[in-house]
Amino acid sequence: MLKRFKADLHIHSCLSPCSDWAMSPKKIVQQSLEVGLDLIAICDHNSAENAGATMREGNRQGMQVLPGMEICSKEEVHILALFDELAPALEMQAYVYANLPGENKTEVFGFQVIANEQDEVMGENPRLLIGATRLGLHDIVKKTHALSGINISCHVDRPAYGIINQLGFIPENLNLDGLEVSYRIKLAEAAQAIPGIENFSCVTASDAHYLNDIGKAWTVFQMAQPSIAEIRLALAGKDGRRILV
Ligand SMILES: [Zn+2]
Ligand SMILES: [Zn+2]
């Protein structure tokens, strides 16, 4: 049976240097439940180190949490990689880390806090998570798909790190699973508002860096369960699965 899932698939945690300290795994799950979401994904910049704790906390509190990350390609395009399980997300993270130069400067970019589900600080990530990787978009998509994940190109309406502004177009052979428009544009109006996206499935998400922004934008998926396989079907509009706007 198909059900409706209200999803916010782009939420940062305190691991992202530009994110608020209050974005701990526990508080993210609490806030997501409070605003009535059924499904969330944790997508920090170039890292999934807080995904596991948020998944465990989601499990405890009854919120489906998917592990993911917002990867910055060498073209300086932000792209989400989303997975069902932690293991492939961490394998993707290892691939990203091997291609991510630089060290974080906390005084310039901010703290990168690794937290557990009890809201305890486990450490800080020393890498330059806000930086661009040496990975091309095609490499990222190929690796994500090999790990059974999906890719959604982020905030395509935005000048900063959006694929249309960075490349001028969306490469047809890139095999993206979908596009994300920011909260600034209504999903129903996206295809009219942004030339070049007509042939893609679009979602919207909060891209929250602060607790109060969680659920600021969301997408309703009609599907059987909150899994990557079902989201993939909904993005493709197959078997009755679809995106409701
Ligand atoms: Zn971004
Ligand atoms: Zn983001």
Side-chain angles (χ1 to χ4, degrees), residues 10 45 70 78 154-155 207:
H10 186 166
H45 291 291
E70 181 176 23
H78 284 179
C154 299
H155 38 70
D207 198 357

Side-chain angles (χ1 to χ4, degrees), residues 6-244:
K6 185 175 170 182
D8 186 350
L9 297 180
H10 186 166
I11 297 175
H12 290 263
S13 81
C14 50
L15 178 59
S16 291
C18 40
S19 207
D20 194 51
W21 271 53
M23 293 294 262
S24 68
K26 189 192 276 284
K27 293 204 182 71
I28 288 172
V29 170
Q30 281 170 349
Q31 182 71 10
S32 300
L33 285 166
E34 216 156 278
V35 298
L37 293 167
D38 303 307
L39 167 64
I40 62 170
I42 297 302
C43 297
D44 284 305
H45 291 291
N46 293 320
S47 182
E49 286 193 52
N50 277 347
T54 316
M55 290 170 80
R56 289 189 292 276
E57 182 61 13
N59 211 17
R60 199 181 66 80
Q61 291 199 45
M63 163 68 58
Q64 183 69 28
V65 180
L66 296 175
M69 62 187 93
E70 181 176 23
I71 302 168
C72 186
S73 75
K74 70 177 179 191
E75 300 92 347
E76 300 208 322
V77 171
H78 284 179
I79 180 169
L80 298 183
L82 303 173
F83 303 91
D84 272 317
E85 304 287 340
L86 189 57
L90 294 181
E91 207 174 322
M92 191 70 193
Q93 174 184 271
Y95 180 62
V96 167
Y97 280 179
N99 292 282
L100 180 66
E103 283 173 24
N104 188 39
K105 292 190 181 73
T106 50
E107 66 280 14
V108 181
F109 302 113
F111 291 96
Q112 302 181 153
V113 180
I114 301 164
N116 69 11
E117 54 271 49
Q118 275 85 45
D119 266 2
E120 293 161 346
V121 173
M122 306 302 287
E124 273 184 61
N125 186 304
R127 298 169 192 273
L128 185 59
L129 296 182
I130 202 72
T133 65
R134 300 189 197 98
L135 298 167
L137 282 167
H138 285 88
D139 302 322
I140 292 167
V141 171
K142 206 171 148 197
K143 183 72 173 176
T144 305
H145 286 171
L147 292 167
S148 302
I150 58 171
N151 292 112
I152 295 175
S153 198
C154 299
H155 38 70
V156 299
D157 51 307
R158 303 300 298 155
Y161 305 106
I163 192 167
I164 295 172
N165 188 64
Q166 294 301 102
L167 303 185
F169 64 103
I170 302 169
E172 270 188 34
N173 60 358
L174 190 53
N175 289 326
L176 287 169
D177 299 283
L179 308 179
E180 175 210 85
V181 298
S182 78
Y183 68 89
R184 296 168 181 85
I185 293 195
K186 285 199 173 73
L187 197 49
E189 294 161 10
Q192 286 80 46
I194 312 164
I197 70 165
E198 320 65 58
N199 299 325
F200 294 89
S201 269
C202 284
V203 301
T204 186
S206 69
D207 198 357
H209 288 68
Y210 295 84
L211 285 173
N212 284 338
D213 287 333
I214 291 174
K216 187 175 181 175
W218 71 88
T219 301
V220 178
F221 291 89
Q222 178 173 285
M223 54 191 183
Q225 53 186 15
S227 68
I228 291 296
E230 287 287 319
I231 293 172
R232 192 185 288 116
L233 286 174
L235 287 166
K238 284 184 182 160
D239 300 342
R241 277 73 169 169
R242 60 197 181 104
I243 290 157
L244 303 171

